[in-house]
Amino acid sequence: MKSEKNEMQEVILPMMEHICDNLCVHPKRTDIAEEKLKDICADCEMGQYVADILNTYDRLNGRTDETKSRIVWCEDCEYCFYQKLTNTYWCRLCNLTGDLEPWDGCTRGKRRNEV
């Protein structure tokens, strides 16, 4: 996990604190000692869930810059076709129709100006 605080940590860590402080039943129990409570918290799976979320976010966020350069917007793609009669865009590459907009895009298209 990255050491600097990213936007996902700004959301996830307060959520974890809220769950631990307000929803978890163990801190409210009066029949267990503080040391036992620390052991229970140490064994809690919440930390692993948070780590998995943050690691997934970091992995996907790292891919974003690499993938952004490969995105071809429908309006620039040679496979995108606009049907004036029905006022719809459709993709000849993957049979997508209806909800396509010119600003939609994918990484499988080919820019019209590419040779």
Side-chain angles (χ1 to χ4, degrees):
M1 185 171 20
K2 294 181 180 178
S3 59
E4 70 272 1
K5 208 168 189 181
N6 62 38
E7 62 186 312
M8 184 58 83
Q9 288 173 317
E10 297 285 338
V11 174
I12 295 295
L13 297 179
M15 179 194 71
M16 179 181 170
E17 289 173 8
H18 173 74
I19 290 170
C20 294
D21 295 344
N22 300 307
L23 302 177
C24 180
V25 298
H26 297 294
K28 297 176 183 96
R29 291 177 52 189
T30 57
D31 62 326
I32 56 174
E34 191 169 330
E35 285 300 316
K36 177 69 174 164
L37 181 59
K38 286 181 183 179
D39 291 341
I40 291 171
C41 291
D43 291 337
C44 180
E45 294 178 5
M46 178 59 69
Q48 186 59 49
Y49 293 135
V50 168
D52 289 346
I53 291 169
L54 293 174
N55 287 334
T56 300
Y57 173 81
D58 287 343
R59 182 174 43 82
L60 294 175
N61 199 33
R63 271 194 206 163
T64 302
D65 293 336
E66 170 189 321
T67 304
K68 277 182 186 175
S69 65
R70 294 187 355 236
I71 292 176
V72 178
W73 306 115
C74 291
E75 65 185 353
D76 299 328
C77 183
E78 73 174 41
Y79 300 118
C80 184
F81 178 75
Y82 175 70
Q83 177 65 46
K84 289 181 185 177
L85 183 64
T86 59
N87 193 31
T88 57
Y89 289 88
W90 58 279
C91 179
R92 294 183 293 225
L93 181 64
C94 51
N95 290 330
L96 296 175
T97 60
D99 293 330
L100 285 182
E101 299 291 343
W103 53 84
D104 288 333
C106 73
T107 58
R108 296 173 48 193
K110 184 176 179 185
R111 286 181 178 78
R112 285 192 178 105
N113 58 0
E114 288 180 353
V115 178

